Amino acid sequence: GESVGLHLPTLSVQEGDNSIINCAYSNSASDYFIWYKQESGKGPQFIIDIRSNMDKRQGQRVTVLLNKTVKHLSLQIAATQPGDSAVYFCAENTGGFKTIFGAGTRLFVKA
Amino acid sequence: DTGVSQDPRHKITKRGQNVTFRCDPISEHNRLYWYRQTLGQGPEFLTYFQNEAQLEKSRLLSDRFSAERPKGSFSTLEIQRTEQGDSAMYLCASSQAGEETQYFGPGTRLLVL
């Protein structure tokens, strides 16, 4: 069935380093992918998205890469800051209303 | 604040009681979604409204759950005869028609004792 998962449940990085969070998806029909950040006690916050006709998209300090051949999605955070500590979810959408979330990766930023 | 709002933020109830949560979406968004999130997991889809019409319900939404959006603006999610397994964060999200990006509220954390 459809599933979105993450390779690592936790990631610890030094402040100032770059972070890479990975995600695998299984539904080849998915055409829209989103990364969300969730801080403790809060709802998921939209970070960046990418459509299946793109390989890369950049935002402010964040880049999302999509490799459709191996069904892999990654989120790169440049110059990671303590405020980036959170759980990061990738999510996929096959068109329409239904968005499927993975289990999440917890990012720890060490000062 | 023009984001999605939810009320209450926290709810503690005894097993068997009924609870109702409210969600106010972003004002120009005509699509509204409810999700449930348990500790360490991603949000799981429960139901979806386009304007006042409930267009999809997940199998997770048992008969004890009911959601409404009577005027196509705010929505309520009611859980009847709560069970301990209902303890979770209930998240609401909204989006504009034609756009997949969903914007989430802060959630209502439910604890059933």
Side-chain angles (χ1 to χ4, degrees):
Chain A
E2 299 172 351
S3 68
V4 176
L6 294 167
H7 294 309
L8 297 172
T10 61
L11 176 65
S12 184
V13 299
Q14 197 69 40
E15 180 180 0
D17 287 351
N18 296 335
S19 303
I20 300 176
I21 301 172
N22 295 305
C23 177
Y25 65 95
S26 60
N27 188 349
S28 56
S30 294
D31 59 3
Y32 178 64
F33 303 88
I34 317 104
W35 281 100
Y36 284 93
K37 172 187 180 184
Q38 187 172 27
E39 297 174 281
S40 181
K42 298 182 179 180
Q45 175 188 0
F46 172 86
I47 300 174
I48 192 168
D49 58 2
I50 189 168
R51 296 203 173 273
S52 59
N53 61 353
M54 301 172 68
D55 298 322
K56 179 180 180 179
R57 189 161 188 223
Q58 288 185 292
Q60 190 174 25
R61 281 201 308 118
V62 294
T63 301
V64 55
L65 298 177
L66 175 63
N67 185 331
K68 295 180 288 295
T69 302
V70 295
K71 297 178 189 171
H72 185 267
L73 192 69
S74 69
L75 176 70
Q76 300 178 1
I77 305 173
T80 313
Q81 303 169 359
D84 295 327
S85 294
V87 176
Y88 290 81
F89 293 97
C90 66
E92 61 180 320
N93 186 296
T94 55
F97 65 90
K98 194 166 186 180
T99 297
I100 299 171
F101 286 80
T105 293
R106 182 174 294 278
L107 176 65
F108 291 100
V109 181
K110 297 177 287 186
Chain B
D1 189 346
T2 57
V4 178
S5 62
Q6 293 186 246
D7 183 72
R9 295 291 310 278
H10 304 273
K11 179 70 177 178
I12 300 174
T13 192
K14 292 182 179 180
R15 188 176 52 184
Q17 298 295 305
N18 299 344
V19 294
T20 300
F21 309 142
R22 176 178 170 126
C23 171
D24 287 89
I26 294 171
S27 59
E28 63 268 25
H29 288 181
N30 66 346
R31 293 181 175 176
L32 186 147
Y33 314 78
W34 284 99
Y35 289 82
R36 182 172 69 187
Q37 185 178 27
T38 54
L39 199 62
Q41 300 297 314
E44 296 175 292
F45 171 80
L46 291 178
T47 190
Y48 154 65
F49 289 86
Q50 180 156 313
N51 299 312
E52 65 276 8
Q54 188 174 17
L55 298 184
E56 185 72 19
K57 291 168 61 174
S58 164
R59 289 172 292 177
L60 293 174
L61 215 62
S62 74
D63 292 343
R64 297 184 296 104
F65 288 69
S66 62
E68 295 182 343
R69 194 183 184 198
K71 298 181 180 179
S73 56
F74 74 91
S75 175
T76 58
L77 177 68
E78 181 183 17
I79 308 174
Q80 296 182 325
R81 304 182 302 281
T82 53
E83 301 173 356
Q84 288 183 325
D86 296 331
S87 296
M89 172 82 88
Y90 290 85
L91 292 161
C92 176
S94 69
S95 70
Q96 284 185 313
E99 295 188 9
E100 295 97 333
T101 306
Q102 298 176 21
Y103 296 90
F104 283 82
T108 295
R109 184 169 293 283
L110 173 66
L111 177 61
V112 182
L113 301 176

